[in-house]
Amino acid sequence: MTRTQKQPGQEENRTESGAKSGRGAASAVQSVDRAVSVLEILARHGEAGVTEIADELDVHKSTAFRLLGVLENRGLVAQAKDRGKYYLGAGVLRLAGAAAVRLDVSQEGVPVCRELADELGETVNIAVLDDDAAVNIMQARGTASVTAQNWLGRRTPLHATASGKVLLAHLPPTLREGLLARPLHRFTERTTTVASLLRGELDTAVQQGYAITREELEIGLAAAASPVRAHDGKVIASLSVSGPVYRLTQERLPEIAKRTEAAATELSRRMGYGF
């Protein structure tokens, strides 16, 4: 068998290509770091000119100008045309607002969830949408759930949980259909994996104000969840009660769901909805 002969300069080209790739990655990281630094400078000073920013970054004015141009195109900075100064743009407010909503609903939800957990004795969670999953950002445990697992911070599938179904049901149609077009993983025999059937469940959840699941994510686990709305009516989270099926029986679940819906309505009121 004849060994492949290396062409002249082949090894050198490969090495040079790898070096260029490494330099490119390092340059990209440096650019991101500088862009974040620009935002921090503007947050600190309120407004600043290209020369001031370049001096603080220790870069040429042209580099600072390019960074500001990219940030301005994305709405993260804006320029006062009369003074030539730059300041933080509305895009930063949108990003901060998204983070604030998560923080606010978590904080406002503490007394609501605590009261519901004490009343029902079960685990109460607040979950928000995180791409294609529901992530639990706040949890309160009732007296009967002291040995229950910790759901805080856990990402759970939208199609197999009560919280997930609520969040999925209230998405804009295009986003919802995009998620339903993906393969629906089966976790138990009860998991709904047919998109047409799941659509029916989501429509029902919207109509009745809550979603119920029994052993769809885990054997022995049942849950009920309802939507939490912001001041503008947009669903920003779901509030759920979960526990073992021997306590959250098929007969008791509708009652649990109604109490969950009432708590979610109270949290929505705290978030400004209905005023």
Side-chain angles (χ1 to χ4, degrees), residues 89-170:
V92 173
L93 296 177
R94 288 194 297 273
L95 295 176
V101 164
R102 287 193 175 195
L103 181 62
D104 288 348
V105 74
S106 178
Q107 291 177 340
E108 292 294 338
V110 170
V112 176
C113 293
R114 184 69 268 160
E115 180 181 351
L116 187 60
D118 289 344
E119 176 188 337
L120 301 178
E122 305 295 348
T123 301
V124 180
N125 280 287
I126 295 175
V128 296
L129 187 69
D130 186 18
D131 189 22
D132 61 348
V135 61
N136 294 291
I137 61 171
M138 191 273 159
Q139 178 174 272
R141 292 183 179 183
T143 54
S145 62
V146 290
T147 59
Q149 60 179 295
N150 184 11
W151 295 94
L152 194 59
R154 180 174 169 182
R155 285 169 54 88
T156 56
L158 297 176
H159 70 288
T161 60
S163 284
K165 288 184 181 182
V166 165
L167 295 171
L168 189 56
H170 289 87

Side-chain angles (χ1 to χ4, degrees), residues 121-271:
E122 305 295 348
T123 301
V124 180
N125 280 287
I126 295 175
V128 296
L129 187 69
D130 186 18
D131 189 22
D132 61 348
V135 61
N136 294 291
I137 61 171
M138 191 273 159
Q139 178 174 272
R141 292 183 179 183
T143 54
S145 62
V146 290
T147 59
Q149 60 179 295
N150 184 11
W151 295 94
L152 194 59
R154 180 174 169 182
R155 285 169 54 88
T156 56
L158 297 176
H159 70 288
T161 60
S163 284
K165 288 184 181 182
V166 165
L167 295 171
L168 189 56
H170 289 87
L171 279 178
T174 302
L175 292 177
R176 182 177 61 188
E177 288 304 311
L179 291 171
L180 290 177
R182 301 179 183 182
L184 301 175
H185 180 73
R186 182 179 297 281
F187 296 93
T188 74
E189 291 182 356
R190 293 178 176 267
T191 307
T192 303
T193 58
V194 179
S196 59
L197 297 178
L198 185 56
R199 286 190 189 93
E201 294 180 15
L202 299 179
D203 290 340
T204 299
V206 173
Q207 293 167 8
Q208 65 188 14
Y210 58 82
I212 287 176
T213 55
R214 282 179 57 84
E215 300 186 297
E216 295 186 34
L217 178 63
E218 296 180 4
I219 297 297
L221 179 68
S226 286
V228 177
R229 300 178 184 274
H231 65 91
D232 58 0
K234 181 181 178 182
V235 173
I236 55 173
S238 61
L239 187 149
S240 68
V241 174
S242 60
V245 292
Y246 65 82
R247 285 203 303 264
L248 272 60
T249 61
Q250 197 147 8
E251 294 73 26
R252 190 184 176 213
L253 261 177
E255 173 196 340
I256 295 290
K258 285 297 184 181
R259 186 62 190 88
T260 302
E261 183 182 14
T265 299
E266 169 60 19
L267 180 51
S268 298
R269 187 193 66 77
R270 286 171 171 263
M271 296 301 295

